[in-house]
Structures are given as structure tokens and as C-alpha cells.
Amino acid sequence: MGLCAAAFAAALTAAPAQAHEAGKAAHWALKDSGSDVRFRGLSAVSRDTAWVAGAKGTVLRTTDGGASWRNVSPPGAADLEFRDIEAFDARRAVVLAIGEGEASRVFRTDDGGATWTESFRNTDAKAFYDCLTFFDRRHGLAMSDPVDGRFRILSTSDGGRSWKVLPSDGMPAAQDGEAGFAASGQCLVSAGSHDAWLATGGGAHARVLHSTDRGLTWKAAETPIPAGDPARGVFALAFRDRAHGLAVGGDYRADQASPQAAALTPDGGRTWAPAAQPPPAYRSGVAWLPHSRTSALAVGPTGTDLTTDGGRTWRTLDTGSYDTVDCTPDLGCWASGEKGRVARLER
């Protein structure tokens, strides 16, 4: 059932009892992906079209709202771990495989996944690529964990058909143990034509680095999300414009608490404030709701949370397991995660 923007927000923000009585409760509707792999990569194009990418080199695509899925995995990729995918439409997409050395690769398709071209293969044993983002259909970035003490950035100006390593002199020094988390495809995000942000953990402080020139220079800011351990930090970012951003994360270990799992910024990431009422546990994905200045969803293995006040407070909507979430201008919100789970927000 389709939703106008006002009804979409109302269905999410209504009190649960009231919403169920009225038959208007928004909820995740699981779609049978036909797969059992974990999908940490997700790119929603519309309410009808979405791509997911995951373990065993798997890429699936739907063009009918999740009623059916086509396996469009690149041939010979079964040993690769896809963790991020960025789709421009139903035919064109770029997917990132993670890992040390040559395990990190980028592929592009222009025909809906019928054929793929490998456009980048990492040859530096010290690099480990985590995430992709695109400013538009031509310009994009990919990030690697630190190499020789600094995060490494790849750049493309032809839609991911070719890539080059950017100079590192504009990148601040990394902290000891600092890295990105390839958990949801959201450790590197962008807004507008030139602004990008990357999220970190593992070091003494969980940081967000911001570039205003498509990755040439970066400035780092500390966040209140706990770090100081390889399992803790900022796992995902979402910016609804150049100024207003959300960060979520925590400690991904199931037996460890994540008491400060979210933060927000009003100034493009220069300063971050803790959520007054954060999600109750580790969250690995976050997305602003379409056409909203104040509402967003955060997801993780133990549930989905909603904020309606720009990230200051969060409340749990669902207890299903998801790793990542993405929303589209036509009011399509999708989530994906373990055991082939893919869902669309419906009522």
C-alpha cells in the first residue's frame, strides 16, 4: 500500500496501540529473497527497485517491490565479501568487496547485473576497503582503513568505471588501532556535490572525518560514542543535508552493552552531541526518512529504532535483526541483514 509523505510519517510516529487499532501501523514487511547469506550492502532506488549485496559474492535485485528477486551476482565472485553497493537505477550499480589485499575490489554493471566489469582491484597488502559513496552518477569515493598511518581514499569521476588513489597529505593522522567498520555500507557517506564524511572506531576516540572537496582534504572531530576497543565506535552515518547528521554504533559484541549508541551534529560534523535517549543497543545502520527534517530510522541485530526529533531521542519500533537501512524519495524504506533478510517498510 502506498503512502503519502504525511501518512508515512504519521504511521511511524503514532502510538503503537493507537496505530494498530486504526490499522495504520508502519512495519517491516519481510520479502523472500530466496537466499540465506548476510546482506550488509543495500541500495534502495525506489519503492519498487532495490539492490542488496552480501556474503559469498552475492548480489540480488528486485524491480517489483520485493515480490521477486533476481540473482545478478558477478561470475566468479563466490569467495568475495560484498559489503556495500551503490545503485543509480535498475540497471546501473557499483559494488564493493572488502578484505585485505586483492580481496578488496570494485565492480560495475550497466545492464542490471547481466554483466559486470571489475574496475578496481587493490594491490596494496596494507589496504582494506570498507565503504563506497557517490555524490552523483559520476563522482564517488571509496575508503580504506589506514595505510601508513592515514585513511586511504579512492576517487572516481566516471561512475566507478575507473579509480585513482587520492594523495594522503590532506588526511589527518589516524589514531592507534583506528579503522572503519564494513558493517552496513554507511561508514562513508555524502551529501550534496562535494561533502563526504567517514566514520571510525577502534582508536581511543570514535571520530567522524569530514571533507568539503570530494576527499582531497579532511578534518576530524571526536564523537561521544565510546571507542577504545576494536569492537567499538561509529558504525554508520546519515546526513540529510550538509549540516544535519546522525551517527550510530556502539559495541558489536552481543554480550557487551552499548549505552551511548547514537550522536547528532547540527554543523556538518564539526561538533557532536550524544543522544539524550539513545537506542538501547548497538546499531549498525541509519537513514533519514524521506522528506523529513526530524525523523530517521536506526537498525541493528536486536531491532529498529525511530527518532522524530532529529536524533535526540530514539524509541524501538521492531525487534527484528537488520544490518543496514536505506530510504528513497518516493517513500520507500528498505532494510537487510542476516540469513537473507530483506524487508520494506509498509502498512
Side-chain angles (χ1 to χ4, degrees):
M1 179 178 180
L3 293 172
C4 70
F8 184 83
L12 273 173
T13 57
Q18 175 188 9
H20 282 291
E21 289 173 5
K24 295 181 179 179
H27 63 280
W28 288 121
L30 282 167
K31 308 296 181 178
D32 184 3
S33 70
S35 175
D36 62 359
V37 307
R38 191 166 198 163
F39 291 118
R40 293 183 182 271
L42 165 67
S43 186
V45 176
S46 68
R47 281 185 55 81
D48 293 327
T49 300
W51 301 65
V52 291
K56 301 178 182 178
T58 306
V59 179
L60 306 183
R61 183 194 62 153
T62 183
T63 56
D64 57 12
S68 65
W69 294 84
R70 177 172 294 183
N71 188 328
V72 295
S73 306
D79 292 335
L80 299 178
E81 287 285 329
F82 290 137
R83 294 293 180 89
D84 197 359
I85 187 165
E86 302 291 334
F88 307 113
D89 50 39
R91 296 182 61 80
R92 292 174 287 185
V94 177
V95 65
L96 171 72
I98 68 154
E100 296 178 351
E102 293 193 5
S104 285
R105 305 181 196 180
V106 179
F107 300 82
R108 177 180 166 114
T109 182
D110 289 288
D111 54 15
T115 62
W116 293 85
T117 301
E118 182 182 307
S119 58
F120 173 77
R121 182 179 298 204
N122 174 48
T123 57
D124 190 331
K126 295 177 288 185
F128 185 116
Y129 286 85
D130 299 296
C131 290
L132 288 169
T133 191
F134 276 85
F135 304 98
D136 52 42
R137 289 173 179 261
R138 293 173 53 211
H139 301 91
L141 303 175
M143 65 164 282
S144 163
D145 290 340
V147 176
D148 299 329
R150 298 177 191 274
F151 285 92
R152 175 168 288 180
I153 303 295
L154 279 182
S155 175
T156 180
S157 59
D158 55 12
R161 295 178 179 88
S162 65
W163 298 83
K164 64 178 181 180
V165 176
L166 293 182
S168 63
D169 50 359
M171 177 66 70
Q175 304 170 100
D176 290 344
E178 192 174 25
F181 291 109
S184 60
Q186 296 178 326
C187 58
L188 178 68
V189 301
S190 55
S193 61
H194 288 80
D195 286 81
W197 298 262
L198 69 86
T200 83
H205 303 281
R207 303 195 298 173
V208 173
L209 281 64
H210 178 207
S211 172
T212 60
D213 53 14
R214 291 184 179 161
L216 291 175
T217 61
W218 299 79
K219 292 183 178 180
E222 295 179 5
T223 76
I225 293 177
D229 184 279
R232 293 201 299 258
V234 178
F235 282 71
L237 300 168
F239 278 79
R240 66 172 174 82
D241 53 34
R242 294 184 62 198
H244 299 88
L246 303 171
V248 299
D251 191 318
Y252 70 74
R253 295 170 294 192
D255 61 343
Q256 298 294 314
S258 295
Q260 294 172 282
L264 60 150
T265 179
D267 54 18
R270 285 192 295 273
T271 61
W272 292 86
Q277 182 179 327
Y282 157 71
R283 294 295 180 251
S284 55
V286 62
W288 290 94
L289 292 183
H291 313 294
S292 175
R293 298 174 61 85
T294 57
S295 297
L297 295 169
V299 300
T302 62
T304 298
D305 304 292
L306 169 72
T307 180
T308 57
D309 55 14
R312 293 172 181 82
T313 63
W314 297 82
R315 65 179 176 87
T316 300
L317 290 180
D318 182 272
T319 56
S321 175
Y322 298 102
D323 291 315
T324 189
V325 58
D326 195 18
C327 295
T328 62
D330 68 342
L331 308 180
C333 281
W334 295 80
S336 64
E338 63 180 346
K339 299 178 182 178
R341 286 169 61 88
V342 186
R344 191 180 70 176
L345 200 63
E346 297 176 6
R347 72 170 173 94

